[in-house]
Amino acid sequence: MDGNGRWAKQKGLIRAIGHENGTKSVRETVEAATELGIKNLTLYAFSTENWNRPKLEVDTLMKLLVSSLKKEIKTLQDNNIKLNAIGDLQSLPKKVYKELIEVIGKTETNTQMTLTLALSYGSRAEMVNAIKEISVKVKNNIISAENIDESIINEHLYTQNLPDVDLLIRTSGEQRISNFLLWQIAYAELYFTNSLWPDFTKQHLCDAIIEYQKRERRFGKTSEQIS
Ligand code: FPP
């Protein structure tokens, strides 16, 4: 969800207002994804690297998260959406962690869509964590090194209950991945739009999906094999 800061700057506003308007796009995108029947939506809301931003901006983002969670619990329930979170959640301020766990608990039986927030998330940190967990299991003879395969690695990632990514959308014209779901996007279709996140609407989501539908996903096979 990139471009909140630039959106604000273009309007002569402070960055916090950009993030605040970004929450409107979050709401619209979540509702649109539910309507479209998407089963999993993951939003990269705060990276491990974002902790290095000025304290005031980090505090603003954390406050926005708490207020959004409080405000949107009803929307999640009304739309039968299950909230999930990935990342180093223990590093979040207590208030954010508590609210997050509460909303995750309240929505855990919802079935229409799983909305995953990536918070204090970094894909490399996720992999390091998985490797450590697997190493301990190998050391304790719970897993044998020869049996380590893709499914064992999947089971030790924060995304263990989620399918691989089909479509990755990045806003604001930047064309990079920025440490997001590196393992899980192995065969994802990538879509980049110049739209800044606060300007991202249901129409932009539909445009991305229409483009996705035109792609031929070959997973290493030939076009003939696919057809
Ligand atoms: C990137 O834009 C955006 C973020 C680091 C924060 C995203 C957070 C929200 C949209 C609001 C809270 C989220 C939820 C799930 C309620 P940037 O600040 O890097 O923009 P810039 O590159 O233009 O400076």
Side-chain angles (χ1 to χ4, degrees):
M1 300 188 286
D2 202 6
N4 293 350
R6 276 163 284 165
W7 183 91
K9 197 172 176 188
Q10 278 176 8
K11 294 181 158 46
L13 302 167
I14 55 166
R15 294 177 63 84
I17 308 289
H19 295 311
E20 214 174 287
N21 279 272
T23 62
K24 293 182 187 163
S25 297
V26 169
R27 182 175 230 272
E28 180 161 345
T29 304
V30 169
E31 284 189 339
T34 318
E35 259 176 62
L36 292 166
I38 290 168
K39 298 309 286 182
N40 286 283
L41 175 69
T42 302
L43 300 176
Y44 200 5
F46 196 86
S47 72
T48 43
E49 290 72 30
N50 285 153
W51 290 115
N52 299 321
R53 291 197 174 193
K55 186 176 181 305
L56 183 65
E57 182 163 348
V58 172
D59 290 350
T60 303
L61 281 166
M62 293 301 142
K63 274 189 197 142
L64 263 182
L65 268 167
V66 176
S67 61
S68 300
L69 286 166
K70 281 190 197 292
K71 207 166 86 189
E72 302 301 344
I73 173 84
K74 191 175 176 322
T75 317
L76 296 177
Q77 298 293 33
D78 290 351
N79 290 283
N80 194 15
I81 300 168
K82 174 180 170 156
L83 188 75
N84 178 39
I86 55 170
D88 179 13
L89 305 182
Q90 303 290 340
S91 67
L92 294 168
K94 273 201 190 93
K95 258 190 179 171
V96 180
Y97 183 77
K98 188 177 155 278
E99 198 60 41
L100 192 63
I101 297 301
E102 205 172 306
V103 179
I104 289 175
K106 282 184 180 159
T107 60
E108 73 183 341
T109 56
N110 291 349
T111 54
Q112 175 59 35
M113 181 175 81
T114 298
L115 168 64
T116 299
L117 299 182
L119 292 169
S120 192
Y121 176 84
S123 189
R124 287 183 171 185
E126 177 183 37
M127 289 186 202
V128 169
N129 188 61
I131 291 165
K132 277 187 184 157
E133 283 183 11
I134 295 169
S135 305
V136 170
K137 289 186 183 170
V138 170
K139 195 174 151 210
N140 295 330
N141 293 319
I142 297 167
I143 297 173
S144 76
E146 300 75 53
N147 289 343
I148 296 174
D149 59 7
E150 291 187 11
S151 71
I152 288 189
I153 294 176
N154 273 325
E155 283 162 23
H156 290 84
L157 295 172
Y158 298 136
T159 51
Q160 57 192 210
N161 299 316
L162 299 174
D164 272 356
V165 177
D166 290 315
L167 170 65
L168 180 141
I169 302 172
R170 182 170 185 151
T171 56
S172 91
E174 307 292 2
Q175 301 196 3
R176 48 177 181 266
I177 307 298
S178 301
N179 204 10
F180 188 53
L181 301 176
L182 300 177
W183 170 275
Q184 300 87 339
I185 61 164
Y187 280 100
E189 294 298 324
L190 309 181
Y191 181 86
F192 300 101
T193 168
N194 286 331
S195 169
L196 302 173
W197 178 250
D199 292 327
F200 193 85
T201 61
K202 181 178 180 179
Q203 187 55 54
H204 292 94
L205 178 65
C206 291
D207 290 346
I209 293 169
I210 289 165
E211 165 68 26
Y212 169 81
Q213 287 170 337
K214 290 182 197 154
R215 306 262 179 100
E216 183 187 54
R217 301 188 76 194
R218 292 194 290 276
F219 299 94
K221 294 183 180 170
T222 65
S223 194
E224 291 69 26
Q225 283 176 301
I226 301 297
S227 59

